[in-house]
Amino acid sequence: MNIAIVGLGLMGGSLALSLKKLDFVNKIVGSDHNNEHQKIALELELVSEIVKFEEVYNYDVIFLAIPVDGVIKALQRLQNVSAETTIIDLGSTKSKIVASTPASIRKNFIAAHPMTGTENYGPTAAIEGLYEDQVVVLCDLEDSGEIQREVSKKIFKALGMKKYFLKADEHDRHAAFISHMPHAISYSLANTVMKQENKNNIIALAAGGFRSMSRLAKSSPNMWEDIFRQNKTNLLEAIGLFEDELKMLKSSIEKENWSEVNKTMQDGYKLHDILK
């Protein structure tokens, strides 16, 4: 199978590295609006060649590894693909993308979200094995064509991913809690420190805890602006519930109700019994 990857950053570049190892993949080309990304992707041999976006419809599988607003625009421009072509997006939101997919290519389309990544971006962030042993969520798969369903399952299985099946709106609500809200908190935590007059002295003391919690603030602001916009309702709900929890903890500390503070932390500690 011949594959085109639109977007040669962390997700697209890492995907290319993994796809190159699959015996049923014949050729991998890339497309990216950023000229520097094109150059680096070729230097790193992520893809065999760079093609214009208008040429990707010639390939058996088209991966859209671009920001979520870009996915919607790209789908509008891919209405000339053949009935056998499989289009797979890797966006972090799904409902608006699915709703915006032209009816003429709905059978061609697979709405996927690989639950993996790092805070880095661009072709140099590409990591071999990024997808292995990670979860991929496939949404509204019943609306995709039989060929496309089989192709996507074959690829993700070969990448070593664990497949989960959800409705797009279910996915977006879940993602708001375990991905989108943590990014919002990380950006806010970073800004809280940066707005202090003695921020350099504070940061000089930064240890593992602060670095872990602020790590996500290194993520691409442009990409996450799109995600926040597309999943606004679910994100606001998640942030509101988090604020409620933080207010309760703050209140217990103000009242010096240390037994309640301890209970709150004990309750939170239980999360890691599930994550094991």
Side-chain angles (χ1 to χ4, degrees):
M1 115 187 4
N2 295 317
I3 297 177
I5 301 176
V6 181
L8 298 172
L10 167 69
M11 300 301 289
S14 299
L15 178 65
L17 289 173
S18 295
L19 289 174
K20 287 167 70 173
K21 294 192 166 186
L22 305 184
D23 56 11
F24 59 82
V25 174
N26 179 49
K27 184 178 183 180
I28 305 170
V29 302
S31 179
D32 197 298
H33 72 280
N34 186 309
N35 291 332
E36 186 65 18
H37 285 187
Q38 294 178 20
K39 178 183 176 183
I40 296 172
L42 287 175
E43 290 175 350
L44 296 176
E45 298 182 346
L46 301 181
V47 294
S48 60
E49 64 179 287
I50 299 295
V51 300
K52 295 180 180 179
F53 181 85
E54 292 74 17
E55 299 175 50
V56 301
Y57 72 88
N58 292 314
Y59 291 81
D60 303 312
V61 181
I62 303 168
F63 278 98
L64 301 177
I66 53 180
V68 289
D69 282 358
V71 170
I72 291 175
K73 294 175 183 176
L75 289 171
Q76 307 305 312
R77 300 171 60 191
L78 288 173
Q79 297 187 60
N80 56 348
V81 298
S82 73
E84 290 76 32
T85 302
T86 300
I87 305 170
I88 305 175
D89 96 285
L90 306 180
S92 296
T93 65
K94 296 273 77 91
S95 293
K96 286 194 175 181
I97 290 174
V98 169
S100 301
T101 304
S104 60
I105 58 169
R106 182 61 189 90
K107 295 291 184 182
N108 296 92
F109 182 60
I110 299 291
H113 181 196
M115 306 296 291
T116 186
T118 73
E119 69 277 15
N120 301 311
Y121 51 97
T124 57
I127 301 172
E128 187 174 326
L130 180 70
Y131 294 83
E132 189 173 354
D133 293 326
Q134 303 302 313
V135 167
V136 60
V137 183
L138 301 173
C139 295
D140 299 342
L141 207 59
E142 66 277 6
D143 295 326
S144 301
E146 182 177 354
I147 293 174
Q148 288 73 21
R149 292 197 297 268
E150 293 308 310
V151 165
S152 63
K153 289 178 182 178
K154 179 178 182 178
I155 291 175
F156 288 122
K157 179 180 180 180
L159 291 175
M161 302 201 77
K162 306 165 190 173
K163 299 183 292 293
Y164 280 74
F165 305 94
L166 291 174
K167 300 298 290 183
D169 56 350
E170 290 179 309
H171 164 275
D172 285 3
R173 187 170 188 276
H174 297 342
F177 282 88
I178 55 91
S179 176
H180 306 170
M181 178 183 64
H183 277 81
I185 292 170
S186 187
Y187 284 118
S188 298
L189 174 64
N191 284 328
T192 300
V193 172
M194 290 299 291
K195 290 176 181 178
Q196 304 307 306
E197 291 183 4
N198 56 347
K199 60 180 180 293
N200 290 330
N201 290 336
I202 296 174
I203 293 172
L205 302 178
F210 178 80
R211 291 183 185 277
S212 295
M213 290 191 65
S214 62
R215 176 180 61 83
L216 296 178
K218 279 185 66 180
S219 303
S220 168
N222 292 335
M223 181 181 78
W224 280 95
E225 178 191 342
D226 288 355
I227 293 169
F228 287 178
R229 183 187 304 111
Q230 282 202 18
N231 205 24
K232 171 186 171 182
T233 300
N234 290 313
L235 176 59
L236 288 176
E237 178 194 3
I239 290 175
L241 292 172
F242 173 77
E243 287 176 333
D244 291 344
E245 287 292 332
L246 195 58
K247 286 176 182 175
M248 286 191 288
L249 178 58
K250 179 184 177 183
S251 176
S252 296
I253 294 172
E254 287 176 337
K255 296 174 182 177
E256 298 189 6
N257 187 343
W258 305 117
S259 61
E260 188 62 30
V261 170
N262 186 276
K263 180 181 182 304
T264 297
M265 292 188 288
Q266 290 287 350
D267 290 344
Y269 183 85
K270 293 174 185 176
L271 169 68
H272 292 276
D273 293 332
I274 301 173
L275 288 178
K276 287 180 180 178

